[in-house]
Amino acid sequence: GAGSGKTRVLTARAAHMIEHLGVSPENMLLVTFTTKAVAEMKERMANEYGLAPQHVGRLVTGTFHSLFYKILYHYDASKWNGDHLLKMEWQKEQYIKKALYEEGADEKEFPVDQAIQQIGYWKNSYLPGERIPLKDEWEKQVYRLYEHYERQKKEHGQFDFDDMASACYELFQLRPDILEHYQTRFTYILIDEFQDINPVQYKIMQMLASPEQNLCCVGDDDQSIYAFRGSSPSFILDFQKDYPGAKTVYLTANYRSTHPIVSSADLVVKKNKKRYVKTLEATRDDVQHPVLFYPYDEEEEATMVVSDIKEKIQNGARPEDFAVLYRTNSGGRAIYERLHQSSVPYTADRGVQSFYSRRIVRQILAYLYVSQNEDDTEAIKHLLPALFLKQSALNTLKVLSITEDCSMVKALTKLPDLKPFQLNKIKKIVPFFASLRTMKPVEAITFAEGKMGFSEYLKKRGNEGNKLEKGSDDLRDVKVVAKKFKTIPDFLAHVDHMRAAEKNKTAENGVQLMTVHRSKGLEFKTVYVLGAVDGSIPHDFSLETARKGDETALEEERRLLYVAMTRAEQHLYISCPANRRGKTAHRSRFLQPLMLLNKRSSLHK
């Protein structure tokens, strides 16, 4: 269960085996998912369990990636040199963009981030040589990019993080002698956060554990939230089938949170069908129940949360005692802006800071920028795709604006080689920029969507980018902000200010803003969960698949809420806004068990 001391159990067990059972540290392998967890394990063994430094140093601990890397490097140091590793996302993006160019597709119109995620999912979910089932045209296109990507990596002698697992698996398959060497070396294998393991990692661990089968895995099937990386609760649920002689120990005492928080989270997650039946018991009690609150929309939600944080800080709380959690980065936009405008220190990652730099956001705002300045080169650059024009038209427009002595917007109608339908469309749109100039921001966006054809462009793009963060959703988010401003210049000044803030490094010790995924494994005195409405938690895409009869994604969304709730030590606040993205919202179906339980209590205020 959450907060039940899982990592502590693993480290205490390893220390006990070394100190009292005479197991040699060299023969033990402790694997987890983050370098932070590795450091904590080693520190705990030395400080809490008194293990001698030389014992701790001889113990092999590491992340899956570091373990696979060491094995491969030892086997072939020239090929698996760290200098050949694609560490950064932008390096992968370059290869995908090159592949798109070769395919004749426009990189500015393609959700490269989603393609990279999909490729990673395939590499982690399917063993080398397994056939990948392709569901639709989108996946077929991404698979072609995947083949391009792999070819380019091979030509440059490079590898990415995911390659290390599949290469290790292939090495053990081709060289039984190397596998046997490591099987003899590691006679005791301990795995932390087992619910996060993917099929390739699990297969390698099974190979290493054979024939001794001294495998100890600690995890929580209710916290399996990384399906997009290939993990699944099935590895825990089916463990007994893979190892019929395995002993299962339930850790059901929660040492982190108070009883009302634990029992509420337990009620929520118990609605899942595919899980181990277990009941968490809190070791701490408190009269403070989780609180559901009902703001009007995202803006009021952010205002209420910041006011509450300020009040608590005045009463002695520290900024780092608070975490604000949201389902996707765009869900943290309002709280990030409100904290940025306040005097409260906070820390936020890049994803939430870069809302105004998202492709669709930049494109719709380009209409507003151009309405104020018809020679705004940067804005016109973002406008071109929405007018179905290539980026090469930008230089032509610059030249035409000089030779024809007109604004760049007017020069649009003078572009050479336009098809008749394009020319008609542009001639119709150009005069509208003057009309936009004095409109209220939200009216201008609606006008650009309808009369100027932006929504038609969005539809024609087909796949709207990442399935979690769609272009049409971004558009609705922009409207929510725009409603706060009376004039376009005021609104754009706010946008410019927030864009400038993207590059700012936020305070280390402050209110933590993060997605629920990022919060896993962490704990805070006070937690606010934003947007607990259908469409957010659970996300739209899980509701769509559930309607088609597959509840796998819906169950993962419920586990996600469980993870969010169990981050709180003392205070938990769950927000159910009445409106989200400009539309009426409905309280998350996952909260229904709490409503039934608390009809007569102080839960819903």
Side-chain angles (χ1 to χ4, degrees), residues 395-429:
N395 286 331
T396 315
L397 287 173
K398 286 178 188 171
V399 172
L400 282 170
S401 70
I402 297 164
T403 57
E404 300 286 330
D405 192 22
C406 64
S407 70
M408 283 177 78
V409 167
K410 298 283 188 302
L412 282 165
T413 59
K414 303 174 193 296
L415 279 170
D417 307 321
L418 287 179
K419 294 185 174 70
F421 80 91
Q422 281 180 304
L423 185 59
N424 288 339
K425 191 171 272 188
I426 287 169
K427 276 184 175 172
K428 185 184 158 194
I429 288 169

Short mmCIF file of all heavy atoms in Angstrom, two decimals, residues 395-429:
data_model
loop_
_atom_site.label_atom_id
_atom_site.label_comp_id
_atom_site.label_asym_id
_atom_site.label_seq_id
_atom_site.Cartn_x
_atom_site.Cartn_y
_atom_site.Cartn_z
N ASN A 395 9.73 34.66 -46.34
CA ASN A 395 10.72 35.53 -46.99
C ASN A 395 10.11 36.29 -48.17
O ASN A 395 10.39 37.46 -48.39
CB ASN A 395 11.93 34.71 -47.46
CG ASN A 395 12.79 34.32 -46.28
OD1 ASN A 395 12.84 35.02 -45.27
ND2 ASN A 395 13.45 33.17 -46.38
N THR A 396 9.23 35.59 -48.92
CA THR A 396 8.55 36.24 -50.05
C THR A 396 7.72 37.41 -49.56
O THR A 396 7.70 38.49 -50.17
CB THR A 396 7.65 35.22 -50.79
OG1 THR A 396 8.38 34.00 -50.97
CG2 THR A 396 7.18 35.74 -52.13
N LEU A 397 7.03 37.21 -48.42
CA LEU A 397 6.18 38.28 -47.84
C LEU A 397 7.03 39.49 -47.45
O LEU A 397 6.62 40.63 -47.65
CB LEU A 397 5.41 37.75 -46.63
CG LEU A 397 4.24 36.80 -46.90
CD1 LEU A 397 3.70 36.23 -45.59
CD2 LEU A 397 3.11 37.52 -47.66
N LYS A 398 8.20 39.23 -46.86
CA LYS A 398 9.09 40.33 -46.46
C LYS A 398 9.47 41.16 -47.68
O LYS A 398 9.45 42.40 -47.65
CB LYS A 398 10.35 39.77 -45.78
CG LYS A 398 10.13 39.25 -44.37
CD LYS A 398 11.44 38.69 -43.83
CE LYS A 398 11.21 37.96 -42.51
NZ LYS A 398 12.41 37.25 -42.07
N VAL A 399 9.84 40.46 -48.77
CA VAL A 399 10.26 41.15 -50.00
C VAL A 399 9.08 41.94 -50.58
O VAL A 399 9.20 43.12 -50.94
CB VAL A 399 10.80 40.13 -51.04
CG1 VAL A 399 11.05 40.82 -52.38
CG2 VAL A 399 12.08 39.48 -50.51
N LEU A 400 7.90 41.27 -50.67
CA LEU A 400 6.72 41.92 -51.24
C LEU A 400 6.30 43.17 -50.47
O LEU A 400 5.87 44.17 -51.05
CB LEU A 400 5.54 40.93 -51.28
CG LEU A 400 5.57 39.88 -52.40
CD1 LEU A 400 4.50 38.82 -52.16
CD2 LEU A 400 5.37 40.53 -53.77
N SER A 401 6.43 43.10 -49.14
CA SER A 401 6.00 44.24 -48.32
C SER A 401 6.87 45.47 -48.65
O SER A 401 6.41 46.61 -48.55
CB SER A 401 6.06 43.91 -46.83
OG SER A 401 7.39 43.79 -46.40
N ILE A 402 8.13 45.23 -49.06
CA ILE A 402 9.01 46.35 -49.44
C ILE A 402 8.71 46.79 -50.88
O ILE A 402 8.46 47.97 -51.15
CB ILE A 402 10.50 45.93 -49.31
CG1 ILE A 402 10.82 45.61 -47.83
CG2 ILE A 402 11.43 47.02 -49.83
CD1 ILE A 402 12.11 44.85 -47.61
N THR A 403 8.69 45.81 -51.81
CA THR A 403 8.50 46.17 -53.23
C THR A 403 7.11 46.74 -53.51
O THR A 403 6.94 47.60 -54.36
CB THR A 403 8.75 44.95 -54.14
OG1 THR A 403 7.88 43.90 -53.74
CG2 THR A 403 10.20 44.47 -54.06
N GLU A 404 6.12 46.23 -52.78
CA GLU A 404 4.74 46.70 -53.02
C GLU A 404 4.33 47.82 -52.05
O GLU A 404 3.18 48.28 -52.09
CB GLU A 404 3.76 45.52 -52.87
CG GLU A 404 4.00 44.36 -53.84
CD GLU A 404 3.55 44.68 -55.25
OE1 GLU A 404 2.61 45.48 -55.41
OE2 GLU A 404 4.16 44.14 -56.20
N ASP A 405 5.27 48.14 -51.13
CA ASP A 405 5.02 49.19 -50.14
C ASP A 405 3.70 48.97 -49.39
O ASP A 405 2.79 49.80 -49.40
CB ASP A 405 5.02 50.56 -50.81
CG ASP A 405 5.05 51.68 -49.77
OD1 ASP A 405 5.49 51.40 -48.63
OD2 ASP A 405 4.60 52.80 -50.06
N CYS A 406 3.61 47.80 -48.78
CA CYS A 406 2.39 47.48 -48.01
C CYS A 406 2.78 46.65 -46.79
O CYS A 406 3.93 46.24 -46.66
CB CYS A 406 1.39 46.71 -48.89
SG CYS A 406 2.01 45.09 -49.41
N SER A 407 1.84 46.40 -45.91
CA SER A 407 2.12 45.57 -44.73
C SER A 407 2.28 44.11 -45.16
O SER A 407 1.83 43.72 -46.25
CB SER A 407 0.98 45.69 -43.72
OG SER A 407 -0.17 45.04 -44.23
N MET A 408 2.89 43.31 -44.29
CA MET A 408 3.06 41.88 -44.61
C MET A 408 1.72 41.18 -44.74
O MET A 408 1.57 40.25 -45.52
CB MET A 408 3.93 41.21 -43.55
CG MET A 408 5.41 41.53 -43.71
SD MET A 408 6.44 40.81 -42.42
CE MET A 408 6.55 39.12 -42.95
N VAL A 409 0.73 41.64 -43.98
CA VAL A 409 -0.61 41.04 -44.08
C VAL A 409 -1.21 41.32 -45.46
O VAL A 409 -1.72 40.41 -46.13
CB VAL A 409 -1.55 41.58 -42.96
CG1 VAL A 409 -3.01 41.23 -43.26
CG2 VAL A 409 -1.14 40.98 -41.62
N LYS A 410 -1.10 42.56 -45.90
CA LYS A 410 -1.63 42.91 -47.24
C LYS A 410 -0.86 42.14 -48.33
O LYS A 410 -1.42 41.76 -49.36
CB LYS A 410 -1.49 44.42 -47.50
CG LYS A 410 -2.26 45.31 -46.53
CD LYS A 410 -3.74 45.36 -46.80
CE LYS A 410 -4.47 46.39 -45.96
NZ LYS A 410 -4.34 46.23 -44.51
N ALA A 411 0.43 41.90 -48.09
CA ALA A 411 1.27 41.18 -49.06
C ALA A 411 0.81 39.74 -49.26
O ALA A 411 1.13 39.12 -50.28
CB ALA A 411 2.73 41.22 -48.61
N LEU A 412 0.05 39.21 -48.30
CA LEU A 412 -0.46 37.83 -48.42
C LEU A 412 -1.25 37.65 -49.73
O LEU A 412 -1.18 36.61 -50.38
CB LEU A 412 -1.36 37.48 -47.23
CG LEU A 412 -0.68 37.11 -45.90
CD1 LEU A 412 -1.67 37.16 -44.75
CD2 LEU A 412 -0.03 35.72 -45.98
N THR A 413 -2.01 38.70 -50.08
CA THR A 413 -2.87 38.60 -51.29
C THR A 413 -2.04 38.70 -52.57
O THR A 413 -2.55 38.44 -53.66
CB THR A 413 -3.94 39.71 -51.30
OG1 THR A 413 -3.26 40.99 -51.28
CG2 THR A 413 -4.87 39.61 -50.11
N LYS A 414 -0.78 39.08 -52.45
CA LYS A 414 0.07 39.27 -53.63
C LYS A 414 1.06 38.12 -53.83
O LYS A 414 1.93 38.17 -54.69
CB LYS A 414 0.84 40.60 -53.50
CG LYS A 414 -0.09 41.82 -53.33
CD LYS A 414 0.70 43.07 -53.07
CE LYS A 414 -0.17 44.22 -52.58
NZ LYS A 414 -1.16 44.67 -53.58
N LEU A 415 0.95 37.09 -52.98
CA LEU A 415 1.86 35.95 -53.09
C LEU A 415 1.72 35.28 -54.46
O LEU A 415 0.60 35.04 -54.93
CB LEU A 415 1.58 34.91 -52.00
CG LEU A 415 2.16 35.17 -50.61
CD1 LEU A 415 1.58 34.18 -49.60
CD2 LEU A 415 3.68 35.06 -50.60
N PRO A 416 2.86 34.94 -55.11
CA PRO A 416 2.77 34.26 -56.41
C PRO A 416 2.40 32.79 -56.23
O PRO A 416 2.51 32.24 -55.13
CB PRO A 416 4.19 34.41 -56.98
CG PRO A 416 5.06 34.53 -55.77
CD PRO A 416 4.24 35.21 -54.72
N ASP A 417 1.98 32.15 -57.30
CA ASP A 417 1.69 30.71 -57.34
C ASP A 417 0.60 30.25 -56.38
O ASP A 417 0.60 29.09 -55.95
CB ASP A 417 2.98 29.88 -57.07
CG ASP A 417 4.11 30.28 -58.00
OD1 ASP A 417 3.82 30.55 -59.19
OD2 ASP A 417 5.27 30.35 -57.54
N LEU A 418 -0.30 31.16 -56.01
CA LEU A 418 -1.42 30.73 -55.17
C LEU A 418 -2.49 30.09 -56.05
O LEU A 418 -2.78 30.58 -57.14
CB LEU A 418 -2.04 31.92 -54.43
CG LEU A 418 -1.26 32.52 -53.26
CD1 LEU A 418 -2.04 33.70 -52.68
CD2 LEU A 418 -0.98 31.51 -52.16
N LYS A 419 -3.07 29.02 -55.55
CA LYS A 419 -4.19 28.41 -56.28
C LYS A 419 -5.41 29.33 -56.11
O LYS A 419 -5.51 30.03 -55.09
CB LYS A 419 -4.48 27.02 -55.74
CG LYS A 419 -3.33 26.04 -56.00
CD LYS A 419 -3.70 24.63 -55.56
CE LYS A 419 -2.62 23.63 -55.97
NZ LYS A 419 -1.38 23.76 -55.23
N PRO A 420 -6.35 29.33 -57.07
CA PRO A 420 -7.51 30.23 -56.97
C PRO A 420 -8.24 30.15 -55.64
O PRO A 420 -8.58 31.16 -55.04
CB PRO A 420 -8.40 29.80 -58.14
CG PRO A 420 -7.46 29.20 -59.12
CD PRO A 420 -6.37 28.56 -58.32
N PHE A 421 -8.45 28.91 -55.13
CA PHE A 421 -9.20 28.78 -53.86
C PHE A 421 -8.41 29.38 -52.69
O PHE A 421 -8.98 29.96 -51.77
CB PHE A 421 -9.58 27.31 -53.59
CG PHE A 421 -8.48 26.46 -53.02
CD1 PHE A 421 -8.32 26.35 -51.63
CD2 PHE A 421 -7.59 25.77 -53.84
CE1 PHE A 421 -7.31 25.57 -51.09
CE2 PHE A 421 -6.58 25.00 -53.30
CZ PHE A 421 -6.43 24.89 -51.92
N GLN A 422 -7.05 29.26 -52.76
CA GLN A 422 -6.21 29.85 -51.69
C GLN A 422 -6.31 31.38 -51.73
O GLN A 422 -6.47 32.03 -50.70
CB GLN A 422 -4.74 29.45 -51.88
CG GLN A 422 -4.42 28.05 -51.41
CD GLN A 422 -2.93 27.75 -51.64
OE1 GLN A 422 -2.44 27.85 -52.77
NE2 GLN A 422 -2.23 27.38 -50.59
N LEU A 423 -6.21 31.94 -52.95
CA LEU A 423 -6.27 33.39 -53.11
C LEU A 423 -7.60 33.94 -52.61
O LEU A 423 -7.64 34.94 -51.87
CB LEU A 423 -6.07 33.77 -54.58
CG LEU A 423 -5.99 35.28 -54.88
CD1 LEU A 423 -4.85 35.93 -54.11
CD2 LEU A 423 -5.85 35.53 -56.37
N ASN A 424 -8.70 33.26 -52.96
CA ASN A 424 -10.04 33.69 -52.50
C ASN A 424 -10.13 33.69 -50.98
O ASN A 424 -10.66 34.61 -50.37
CB ASN A 424 -11.13 32.79 -53.09
CG ASN A 424 -11.31 33.04 -54.58
OD1 ASN A 424 -10.92 34.10 -55.07
ND2 ASN A 424 -11.86 32.07 -55.30
N LYS A 425 -9.59 32.63 -50.40
CA LYS A 425 -9.65 32.50 -48.94
C LYS A 425 -8.84 33.61 -48.27
O LYS A 425 -9.30 34.25 -47.32
CB LYS A 425 -9.09 31.12 -48.54
CG LYS A 425 -9.34 30.76 -47.08
CD LYS A 425 -8.97 29.32 -46.79
CE LYS A 425 -10.14 28.40 -47.06
NZ LYS A 425 -9.94 27.03 -46.62
N ILE A 426 -7.63 33.86 -48.79
CA ILE A 426 -6.76 34.88 -48.19
C ILE A 426 -7.38 36.27 -48.36
O ILE A 426 -7.37 37.08 -47.44
CB ILE A 426 -5.34 34.79 -48.79
CG1 ILE A 426 -4.64 33.54 -48.20
CG2 ILE A 426 -4.52 36.03 -48.47
CD1 ILE A 426 -3.34 33.16 -48.86
N LYS A 427 -7.93 36.54 -49.55
CA LYS A 427 -8.57 37.85 -49.79
C LYS A 427 -9.73 38.07 -48.83
O LYS A 427 -10.00 39.21 -48.42
CB LYS A 427 -9.07 37.92 -51.24
CG LYS A 427 -7.98 38.33 -52.23
CD LYS A 427 -8.56 38.49 -53.62
CE LYS A 427 -7.49 39.03 -54.57
NZ LYS A 427 -7.95 39.01 -55.96
N LYS A 428 -10.40 36.99 -48.47
CA LYS A 428 -11.54 37.09 -47.56
C LYS A 428 -11.05 37.35 -46.12
O LYS A 428 -11.64 38.13 -45.38
CB LYS A 428 -12.34 35.77 -47.62
CG LYS A 428 -13.62 35.79 -46.80
CD LYS A 428 -14.28 34.42 -46.86
CE LYS A 428 -15.22 34.24 -45.67
NZ LYS A 428 -15.64 32.85 -45.48
N ILE A 429 -9.94 36.70 -45.76
CA ILE A 429 -9.44 36.76 -44.38
C ILE A 429 -8.73 38.08 -44.06
O ILE A 429 -8.90 38.64 -42.98
CB ILE A 429 -8.52 35.55 -44.08
CG1 ILE A 429 -9.34 34.27 -43.98
CG2 ILE A 429 -7.72 35.74 -42.80
CD1 ILE A 429 -8.52 32.99 -43.95
#
